[in-house]
Amino acid sequence: QVQLVESGGGLVQPGGSLRLSCAASARRFNIKSMGWYRQAPGKERELVAVITSGITNYADSVKGRFTISRDNAKNTVYLQMNSLKPEDTAVYYCHTNGWVAGTSSFVNYWGQGTQVTVSS
C-alpha cells in the first residue's frame, strides 16, 4: 500500500515560481518511477515530468522551466516550477508506480491533487 501526500500548490503571478512536493509512504513496495501529471478544466490529464532511476522526462511545454527531482531516502519527489504561465494552471497530481515486494504485481498510485493557479 502506498500513500502519496502532496503539498506546495497555490496562487502565483505569471513569471513566478512554485515548488511542489510529494512524499510517498510505501510499505512492501519497490518504486520504479515518480512523477507529476496535471489536469486543466475541460482537458485530459497529461504528463508533466517523471523521474525513473535518475532519468528525467518532461512534457515539451515545460522543458526549461520545470525541474523534477527525487530524494530516494525520503521517497519524496519535487517539482520546481519557474517562469509560470497562465496555461500552467491545473490540478497537479503526484504519481508513482512499481512492484509489490516479493511479487510481480505492477501497480500505480495517485495523490489527491494540488491546485496551481497562475494569474495576475
mmCIF file of all heavy atoms in Angstrom, residues 27-69:
data_model
loop_
_atom_site.group_PDB
_atom_site.id
_atom_site.type_symbol
_atom_site.label_atom_id
_atom_site.label_comp_id
_atom_site.label_asym_id
_atom_site.label_seq_id
_atom_site.Cartn_x
_atom_site.Cartn_y
_atom_site.Cartn_z
ATOM 1 N N ARG A 27 4.989 0.804 1.904
ATOM 2 C CA ARG A 27 5.309 -0.439 2.621
ATOM 3 C C ARG A 27 5.298 -1.603 1.642
ATOM 4 O O ARG A 27 4.355 -1.769 0.871
ATOM 5 C CB ARG A 27 4.280 -0.690 3.719
ATOM 6 C CG ARG A 27 4.431 0.213 4.921
ATOM 7 C CD ARG A 27 3.539 -0.268 6.041
ATOM 8 N NE ARG A 27 3.790 0.441 7.264
ATOM 9 C CZ ARG A 27 3.216 0.138 8.421
ATOM 10 N NH1 ARG A 27 2.357 -0.864 8.496
ATOM 11 N NH2 ARG A 27 3.494 0.822 9.502
ATOM 12 N N ARG A 28 6.347 -2.373 1.678
ATOM 13 C CA ARG A 28 6.450 -3.552 0.824
ATOM 14 C C ARG A 28 6.166 -3.185 -0.627
ATOM 15 O O ARG A 28 5.402 -3.851 -1.319
ATOM 16 C CB ARG A 28 5.499 -4.649 1.305
ATOM 17 C CG ARG A 28 5.833 -5.175 2.696
ATOM 18 C CD ARG A 28 4.898 -6.312 3.084
ATOM 19 N NE ARG A 28 4.844 -7.371 2.086
ATOM 20 C CZ ARG A 28 5.765 -8.294 1.921
ATOM 21 N NH1 ARG A 28 6.858 -8.299 2.686
ATOM 22 N NH2 ARG A 28 5.623 -9.234 1.004
ATOM 23 N N PHE A 29 6.804 -2.131 -1.081
ATOM 24 C CA PHE A 29 6.584 -1.640 -2.439
ATOM 25 C C PHE A 29 7.890 -1.112 -2.982
ATOM 26 O O PHE A 29 8.574 -0.329 -2.328
ATOM 27 C CB PHE A 29 5.522 -0.534 -2.417
ATOM 28 C CG PHE A 29 5.112 -0.056 -3.778
ATOM 29 C CD1 PHE A 29 4.248 -0.817 -4.554
ATOM 30 C CD2 PHE A 29 5.569 1.147 -4.279
ATOM 31 C CE1 PHE A 29 3.852 -0.388 -5.809
ATOM 32 C CE2 PHE A 29 5.187 1.587 -5.530
ATOM 33 C CZ PHE A 29 4.325 0.820 -6.297
ATOM 34 N N ASN A 30 8.255 -1.576 -4.154
ATOM 35 C CA ASN A 30 9.507 -1.146 -4.792
ATOM 36 C C ASN A 30 9.178 -0.140 -5.889
ATOM 37 O O ASN A 30 8.655 -0.505 -6.947
ATOM 38 C CB ASN A 30 10.245 -2.352 -5.367
ATOM 39 C CG ASN A 30 10.628 -3.343 -4.280
ATOM 40 O OD1 ASN A 30 11.126 -2.957 -3.224
ATOM 41 N ND2 ASN A 30 10.362 -4.618 -4.513
ATOM 42 N N ILE A 31 9.491 1.111 -5.615
ATOM 43 C CA ILE A 31 9.127 2.185 -6.538
ATOM 44 C C ILE A 31 9.995 2.130 -7.790
ATOM 45 O O ILE A 31 11.214 2.019 -7.714
ATOM 46 C CB ILE A 31 9.274 3.556 -5.855
ATOM 47 C CG1 ILE A 31 8.231 3.690 -4.731
ATOM 48 C CG2 ILE A 31 9.117 4.680 -6.860
ATOM 49 C CD1 ILE A 31 8.379 4.965 -3.919
ATOM 50 N N LYS A 32 9.333 2.245 -8.943
ATOM 51 C CA LYS A 32 10.057 2.367 -10.209
ATOM 52 C C LYS A 32 10.163 3.839 -10.622
ATOM 53 O O LYS A 32 11.245 4.337 -10.861
ATOM 54 C CB LYS A 32 9.352 1.585 -11.322
ATOM 55 C CG LYS A 32 10.020 1.750 -12.687
ATOM 56 C CD LYS A 32 9.239 1.082 -13.805
ATOM 57 C CE LYS A 32 9.936 1.288 -15.137
ATOM 58 N NZ LYS A 32 9.135 0.710 -16.255
ATOM 59 N N SER A 33 9.030 4.492 -10.702
ATOM 60 C CA SER A 33 9.009 5.874 -11.174
ATOM 61 C C SER A 33 8.190 6.741 -10.227
ATOM 62 O O SER A 33 7.261 6.255 -9.571
ATOM 63 C CB SER A 33 8.386 5.973 -12.567
ATOM 64 O OG SER A 33 9.119 5.262 -13.523
ATOM 65 N N MET A 34 8.537 8.019 -10.196
ATOM 66 C CA MET A 34 7.712 9.017 -9.535
ATOM 67 C C MET A 34 7.586 10.200 -10.479
ATOM 68 O O MET A 34 8.536 10.519 -11.213
ATOM 69 C CB MET A 34 8.305 9.456 -8.200
ATOM 70 C CG MET A 34 8.387 8.344 -7.177
ATOM 71 S SD MET A 34 8.849 8.927 -5.528
ATOM 72 C CE MET A 34 7.293 9.636 -4.966
ATOM 73 N N GLY A 35 6.433 10.826 -10.468
ATOM 74 C CA GLY A 35 6.264 11.918 -11.402
ATOM 75 C C GLY A 35 5.058 12.774 -11.096
ATOM 76 O O GLY A 35 4.366 12.580 -10.091
ATOM 77 N N TRP A 36 4.826 13.717 -12.002
ATOM 78 C CA TRP A 36 3.725 14.667 -11.865
ATOM 79 C C TRP A 36 2.927 14.710 -13.163
ATOM 80 O O TRP A 36 3.498 14.748 -14.259
ATOM 81 C CB TRP A 36 4.268 16.061 -11.561
ATOM 82 C CG TRP A 36 4.925 16.157 -10.229
ATOM 83 C CD1 TRP A 36 6.251 15.973 -9.937
ATOM 84 C CD2 TRP A 36 4.288 16.447 -8.989
ATOM 85 N NE1 TRP A 36 6.480 16.132 -8.597
ATOM 86 C CE2 TRP A 36 5.280 16.424 -7.987
ATOM 87 C CE3 TRP A 36 2.981 16.736 -8.606
ATOM 88 C CZ2 TRP A 36 4.991 16.664 -6.648
ATOM 89 C CZ3 TRP A 36 2.699 16.980 -7.276
ATOM 90 C CH2 TRP A 36 3.700 16.939 -6.313
ATOM 91 N N TYR A 37 1.618 14.724 -12.993
ATOM 92 C CA TYR A 37 0.676 14.931 -14.072
ATOM 93 C C TYR A 37 -0.157 16.149 -13.716
ATOM 94 O O TYR A 37 -0.183 16.587 -12.569
ATOM 95 C CB TYR A 37 -0.240 13.714 -14.244
ATOM 96 C CG TYR A 37 0.431 12.501 -14.842
ATOM 97 C CD1 TYR A 37 1.385 11.774 -14.118
ATOM 98 C CD2 TYR A 37 0.112 12.057 -16.123
ATOM 99 C CE1 TYR A 37 2.000 10.659 -14.663
ATOM 100 C CE2 TYR A 37 0.714 10.944 -16.673
ATOM 101 C CZ TYR A 37 1.655 10.252 -15.938
ATOM 102 O OH TYR A 37 2.253 9.149 -16.482
ATOM 103 N N ARG A 38 -0.855 16.689 -14.704
ATOM 104 C CA ARG A 38 -1.759 17.802 -14.424
ATOM 105 C C ARG A 38 -3.004 17.689 -15.284
ATOM 106 O O ARG A 38 -2.991 17.090 -16.355
ATOM 107 C CB ARG A 38 -1.068 19.147 -14.655
ATOM 108 C CG ARG A 38 -0.727 19.447 -16.104
ATOM 109 C CD ARG A 38 0.084 20.733 -16.209
ATOM 110 N NE ARG A 38 0.430 21.068 -17.584
ATOM 111 C CZ ARG A 38 1.232 22.060 -17.924
ATOM 112 N NH1 ARG A 38 1.789 22.834 -16.989
ATOM 113 N NH2 ARG A 38 1.490 22.302 -19.201
ATOM 114 N N GLN A 39 -4.067 18.293 -14.760
ATOM 115 C CA GLN A 39 -5.334 18.298 -15.483
ATOM 116 C C GLN A 39 -5.975 19.657 -15.342
ATOM 117 O O GLN A 39 -6.309 20.083 -14.230
ATOM 118 C CB GLN A 39 -6.263 17.206 -14.961
ATOM 119 C CG GLN A 39 -7.514 17.037 -15.788
ATOM 120 C CD GLN A 39 -8.270 15.764 -15.460
ATOM 121 O OE1 GLN A 39 -8.061 15.152 -14.410
ATOM 122 N NE2 GLN A 39 -9.129 15.333 -16.363
ATOM 123 N N ALA A 40 -6.134 20.318 -16.475
ATOM 124 C CA ALA A 40 -6.799 21.614 -16.514
ATOM 125 C C ALA A 40 -8.282 21.391 -16.780
ATOM 126 O O ALA A 40 -8.672 20.353 -17.329
ATOM 127 C CB ALA A 40 -6.180 22.480 -17.598
ATOM 128 N N PRO A 41 -9.130 22.353 -16.421
ATOM 129 C CA PRO A 41 -10.565 22.191 -16.646
ATOM 130 C C PRO A 41 -10.880 21.913 -18.112
ATOM 131 O O PRO A 41 -10.385 22.601 -19.008
ATOM 132 C CB PRO A 41 -11.139 23.542 -16.204
ATOM 133 C CG PRO A 41 -10.156 24.059 -15.224
ATOM 134 C CD PRO A 41 -8.813 23.594 -15.715
ATOM 135 N N GLY A 42 -11.675 20.872 -18.337
ATOM 136 C CA GLY A 42 -12.082 20.531 -19.686
ATOM 137 C C GLY A 42 -11.035 19.815 -20.513
ATOM 138 O O GLY A 42 -11.247 19.549 -21.696
ATOM 139 N N LYS A 43 -9.905 19.488 -19.896
ATOM 140 C CA LYS A 43 -8.833 18.818 -20.623
ATOM 141 C C LYS A 43 -8.498 17.486 -19.969
ATOM 142 O O LYS A 43 -8.822 17.245 -18.809
ATOM 143 C CB LYS A 43 -7.588 19.704 -20.681
ATOM 144 C CG LYS A 43 -7.772 20.983 -21.481
ATOM 145 C CD LYS A 43 -6.461 21.715 -21.642
ATOM 146 C CE LYS A 43 -6.626 22.947 -22.509
ATOM 147 N NZ LYS A 43 -5.322 23.663 -22.703
ATOM 148 N N GLU A 44 -7.814 16.648 -20.727
ATOM 149 C CA GLU A 44 -7.390 15.364 -20.201
ATOM 150 C C GLU A 44 -6.142 15.532 -19.333
ATOM 151 O O GLU A 44 -5.383 16.486 -19.486
ATOM 152 C CB GLU A 44 -7.091 14.399 -21.352
ATOM 153 C CG GLU A 44 -8.311 14.012 -22.163
ATOM 154 C CD GLU A 44 -8.002 12.936 -23.177
ATOM 155 O OE1 GLU A 44 -6.831 12.589 -23.350
ATOM 156 O OE2 GLU A 44 -8.960 12.433 -23.795
ATOM 157 N N ARG A 45 -5.966 14.576 -18.442
ATOM 158 C CA ARG A 45 -4.770 14.577 -17.608
ATOM 159 C C ARG A 45 -3.554 14.323 -18.493
ATOM 160 O O ARG A 45 -3.584 13.448 -19.364
ATOM 161 C CB ARG A 45 -4.871 13.503 -16.523
ATOM 162 C CG ARG A 45 -3.814 13.607 -15.458
ATOM 163 C CD ARG A 45 -4.082 12.622 -14.318
ATOM 164 N NE ARG A 45 -5.326 12.925 -13.617
ATOM 165 C CZ ARG A 45 -5.710 12.325 -12.501
ATOM 166 N NH1 ARG A 45 -4.931 11.393 -11.947
ATOM 167 N NH2 ARG A 45 -6.848 12.644 -11.938
ATOM 168 N N GLU A 46 -2.498 15.076 -18.258
ATOM 169 C CA GLU A 46 -1.303 14.949 -19.081
ATOM 170 C C GLU A 46 -0.047 14.849 -18.213
ATOM 171 O O GLU A 46 0.004 15.393 -17.111
ATOM 172 C CB GLU A 46 -1.153 16.157 -20.023
ATOM 173 C CG GLU A 46 -0.961 17.489 -19.318
ATOM 174 C CD GLU A 46 -0.702 18.636 -20.269
ATOM 175 O OE1 GLU A 46 -0.653 18.430 -21.485
ATOM 176 O OE2 GLU A 46 -0.543 19.772 -19.774
ATOM 177 N N LEU A 47 0.943 14.157 -18.765
ATOM 178 C CA LEU A 47 2.222 14.039 -18.074
ATOM 179 C C LEU A 47 2.937 15.390 -18.076
ATOM 180 O O LEU A 47 2.998 16.070 -19.097
ATOM 181 C CB LEU A 47 3.098 12.995 -18.768
ATOM 182 C CG LEU A 47 4.533 12.883 -18.264
ATOM 183 C CD1 LEU A 47 4.548 12.276 -16.874
ATOM 184 C CD2 LEU A 47 5.371 12.041 -19.219
ATOM 185 N N VAL A 48 3.489 15.743 -16.909
ATOM 186 C CA VAL A 48 4.305 16.944 -16.797
ATOM 187 C C VAL A 48 5.787 16.554 -16.756
ATOM 188 O O VAL A 48 6.597 17.039 -17.545
ATOM 189 C CB VAL A 48 3.945 17.743 -15.541
ATOM 190 C CG1 VAL A 48 4.875 18.944 -15.380
ATOM 191 C CG2 VAL A 48 2.489 18.186 -15.590
ATOM 192 N N ALA A 49 6.118 15.678 -15.812
ATOM 193 C CA ALA A 49 7.516 15.264 -15.656
ATOM 194 C C ALA A 49 7.556 13.959 -14.884
ATOM 195 O O ALA A 49 6.689 13.701 -14.042
ATOM 196 C CB ALA A 49 8.324 16.325 -14.929
ATOM 197 N N VAL A 50 8.553 13.147 -15.170
ATOM 198 C CA VAL A 50 8.713 11.859 -14.496
ATOM 199 C C VAL A 50 10.195 11.590 -14.314
ATOM 200 O O VAL A 50 11.019 12.024 -15.120
ATOM 201 C CB VAL A 50 8.042 10.722 -15.289
ATOM 202 C CG1 VAL A 50 8.694 10.549 -16.651
ATOM 203 C CG2 VAL A 50 8.058 9.416 -14.510
ATOM 204 N N ILE A 51 10.521 10.886 -13.219
ATOM 205 C CA ILE A 51 11.895 10.503 -12.956
ATOM 206 C C ILE A 51 11.934 9.017 -12.649
ATOM 207 O O ILE A 51 11.179 8.521 -11.804
ATOM 208 C CB ILE A 51 12.512 11.354 -11.820
ATOM 209 C CG1 ILE A 51 13.979 11.005 -11.614
ATOM 210 C CG2 ILE A 51 11.722 11.239 -10.524
ATOM 211 C CD1 ILE A 51 14.723 12.027 -10.756
ATOM 212 N N THR A 52 12.802 8.328 -13.376
ATOM 213 C CA THR A 52 12.923 6.876 -13.257
ATOM 214 C C THR A 52 14.404 6.533 -13.184
ATOM 215 O O THR A 52 15.140 6.797 -14.139
ATOM 216 C CB THR A 52 12.303 6.162 -14.466
ATOM 217 O OG1 THR A 52 10.950 6.591 -14.633
ATOM 218 C CG2 THR A 52 12.337 4.648 -14.287
ATOM 219 N N SER A 53 14.832 5.990 -12.068
ATOM 220 C CA SER A 53 16.248 5.633 -11.860
ATOM 221 C C SER A 53 17.161 6.797 -12.230
ATOM 222 O O SER A 53 18.208 6.614 -12.868
ATOM 223 C CB SER A 53 16.602 4.406 -12.709
ATOM 224 O OG SER A 53 15.816 3.292 -12.348
ATOM 225 N N GLY A 54 16.755 7.989 -11.845
ATOM 226 C CA GLY A 54 17.570 9.168 -12.074
ATOM 227 C C GLY A 54 17.415 9.811 -13.442
ATOM 228 O O GLY A 54 17.944 10.897 -13.679
ATOM 229 N N ILE A 55 16.690 9.157 -14.316
ATOM 230 C CA ILE A 55 16.479 9.713 -15.660
ATOM 231 C C ILE A 55 15.167 10.488 -15.667
ATOM 232 O O ILE A 55 14.138 9.985 -15.205
ATOM 233 C CB ILE A 55 16.450 8.589 -16.704
ATOM 234 C CG1 ILE A 55 17.801 7.865 -16.717
ATOM 235 C CG2 ILE A 55 16.120 9.150 -18.075
ATOM 236 C CD1 ILE A 55 17.809 6.630 -17.577
ATOM 237 N N THR A 56 15.228 11.702 -16.211
ATOM 238 C CA THR A 56 14.051 12.569 -16.202
ATOM 239 C C THR A 56 13.487 12.750 -17.607
ATOM 240 O O THR A 56 14.212 12.709 -18.595
ATOM 241 C CB THR A 56 14.406 13.949 -15.639
ATOM 242 O OG1 THR A 56 15.453 14.529 -16.422
ATOM 243 C CG2 THR A 56 14.870 13.846 -14.199
ATOM 244 N N ASN A 57 12.188 12.928 -17.642
ATOM 245 C CA ASN A 57 11.498 13.240 -18.889
ATOM 246 C C ASN A 57 10.465 14.312 -18.610
ATOM 247 O O ASN A 57 9.825 14.305 -17.545
ATOM 248 C CB ASN A 57 10.812 12.001 -19.465
ATOM 249 C CG ASN A 57 11.798 11.085 -20.158
ATOM 250 O OD1 ASN A 57 12.323 11.396 -21.219
ATOM 251 N ND2 ASN A 57 12.059 9.947 -19.549
ATOM 252 N N TYR A 58 10.319 15.218 -19.579
ATOM 253 C CA TYR A 58 9.425 16.355 -19.405
ATOM 254 C C TYR A 58 8.502 16.511 -20.606
ATOM 255 O O TYR A 58 8.870 16.188 -21.744
ATOM 256 C CB TYR A 58 10.226 17.652 -19.263
ATOM 257 C CG TYR A 58 11.117 17.718 -18.048
ATOM 258 C CD1 TYR A 58 12.441 17.287 -18.108
ATOM 259 C CD2 TYR A 58 10.642 18.227 -16.843
ATOM 260 C CE1 TYR A 58 13.267 17.350 -16.999
ATOM 261 C CE2 TYR A 58 11.457 18.297 -15.727
ATOM 262 C CZ TYR A 58 12.767 17.857 -15.815
ATOM 263 O OH TYR A 58 13.572 17.931 -14.697
ATOM 264 N N ALA A 59 7.339 17.057 -20.342
ATOM 265 C CA ALA A 59 6.489 17.489 -21.439
ATOM 266 C C ALA A 59 7.177 18.655 -22.142
ATOM 267 O O ALA A 59 7.850 19.468 -21.505
ATOM 268 C CB ALA A 59 5.137 17.930 -20.902
ATOM 269 N N ASP A 60 6.986 18.742 -23.446
ATOM 270 C CA ASP A 60 7.638 19.815 -24.210
ATOM 271 C C ASP A 60 7.247 21.189 -23.674
ATOM 272 O O ASP A 60 8.054 22.128 -23.681
ATOM 273 C CB ASP A 60 7.259 19.706 -25.688
ATOM 274 C CG ASP A 60 7.947 18.541 -26.376
ATOM 275 O OD1 ASP A 60 8.941 18.018 -25.815
ATOM 276 O OD2 ASP A 60 7.490 18.153 -27.465
ATOM 277 N N SER A 61 6.021 21.299 -23.204
ATOM 278 C CA SER A 61 5.502 22.597 -22.768
ATOM 279 C C SER A 61 6.182 23.124 -21.503
ATOM 280 O O SER A 61 6.060 24.309 -21.194
ATOM 281 C CB SER A 61 3.999 22.507 -22.529
ATOM 282 O OG SER A 61 3.715 21.533 -21.545
ATOM 283 N N VAL A 62 6.889 22.253 -20.771
ATOM 284 C CA VAL A 62 7.516 22.704 -19.519
ATOM 285 C C VAL A 62 9.032 22.612 -19.545
ATOM 286 O O VAL A 62 9.697 23.023 -18.589
ATOM 287 C CB VAL A 62 6.972 21.918 -18.303
ATOM 288 C CG1 VAL A 62 5.444 21.972 -18.259
ATOM 289 C CG2 VAL A 62 7.451 20.471 -18.302
ATOM 290 N N LYS A 63 9.581 22.072 -20.599
ATOM 291 C CA LYS A 63 11.040 21.938 -20.683
ATOM 292 C C LYS A 63 11.715 23.298 -20.545
ATOM 293 O O LYS A 63 11.291 24.278 -21.142
ATOM 294 C CB LYS A 63 11.430 21.295 -22.016
ATOM 295 C CG LYS A 63 11.210 19.795 -22.072
ATOM 296 C CD LYS A 63 11.636 19.229 -23.419
ATOM 297 C CE LYS A 63 11.404 17.719 -23.466
ATOM 298 N NZ LYS A 63 11.744 17.148 -24.795
ATOM 299 N N GLY A 64 12.768 23.303 -19.719
ATOM 300 C CA GLY A 64 13.498 24.545 -19.485
ATOM 301 C C GLY A 64 12.904 25.412 -18.401
ATOM 302 O O GLY A 64 13.545 26.379 -17.956
ATOM 303 N N ARG A 65 11.689 25.084 -17.955
ATOM 304 C CA ARG A 65 11.046 25.875 -16.908
ATOM 305 C C ARG A 65 10.832 25.056 -15.625
ATOM 306 O O ARG A 65 10.902 25.600 -14.527
ATOM 307 C CB ARG A 65 9.703 26.407 -17.393
ATOM 308 C CG ARG A 65 9.785 27.296 -18.609
ATOM 309 C CD ARG A 65 8.438 27.948 -18.917
ATOM 310 N NE ARG A 65 7.407 26.965 -19.249
ATOM 311 C CZ ARG A 65 6.257 26.829 -18.583
ATOM 312 N NH1 ARG A 65 5.992 27.609 -17.551
ATOM 313 N NH2 ARG A 65 5.365 25.926 -18.967
ATOM 314 N N PHE A 66 10.531 23.789 -15.780
ATOM 315 C CA PHE A 66 10.252 22.918 -14.638
ATOM 316 C C PHE A 66 11.415 21.946 -14.442
ATOM 317 O O PHE A 66 12.046 21.504 -15.417
ATOM 318 C CB PHE A 66 8.995 22.100 -14.857
ATOM 319 C CG PHE A 66 7.709 22.892 -14.862
ATOM 320 C CD1 PHE A 66 7.687 24.270 -14.865
ATOM 321 C CD2 PHE A 66 6.486 22.217 -14.857
ATOM 322 C CE1 PHE A 66 6.502 24.981 -14.861
ATOM 323 C CE2 PHE A 66 5.287 22.903 -14.853
ATOM 324 C CZ PHE A 66 5.302 24.293 -14.872
ATOM 325 N N THR A 67 11.659 21.594 -13.180
ATOM 326 C CA THR A 67 12.688 20.618 -12.852
ATOM 327 C C THR A 67 12.137 19.614 -11.842
ATOM 328 O O THR A 67 11.645 20.016 -10.783
ATOM 329 C CB THR A 67 13.933 21.291 -12.255
ATOM 330 O OG1 THR A 67 14.446 22.261 -13.175
ATOM 331 C CG2 THR A 67 15.010 20.250 -11.969
ATOM 332 N N ILE A 68 12.241 18.348 -12.186
ATOM 333 C CA ILE A 68 11.816 17.297 -11.274
ATOM 334 C C ILE A 68 13.048 16.702 -10.600
ATOM 335 O O ILE A 68 14.110 16.551 -11.226
ATOM 336 C CB ILE A 68 11.002 16.200 -12.008
ATOM 337 C CG1 ILE A 68 10.370 15.234 -11.003
ATOM 338 C CG2 ILE A 68 11.845 15.462 -13.035
ATOM 339 C CD1 ILE A 68 9.369 14.274 -11.627
ATOM 340 N N SER A 69 12.896 16.396 -9.320
ATOM 341 C CA SER A 69 13.987 15.767 -8.583
ATOM 342 C C SER A 69 13.394 14.820 -7.546
ATOM 343 O O SER A 69 12.206 14.908 -7.224
ATOM 344 C CB SER A 69 14.871 16.813 -7.912
ATOM 345 O OG SER A 69 14.132 17.589 -7.001
#
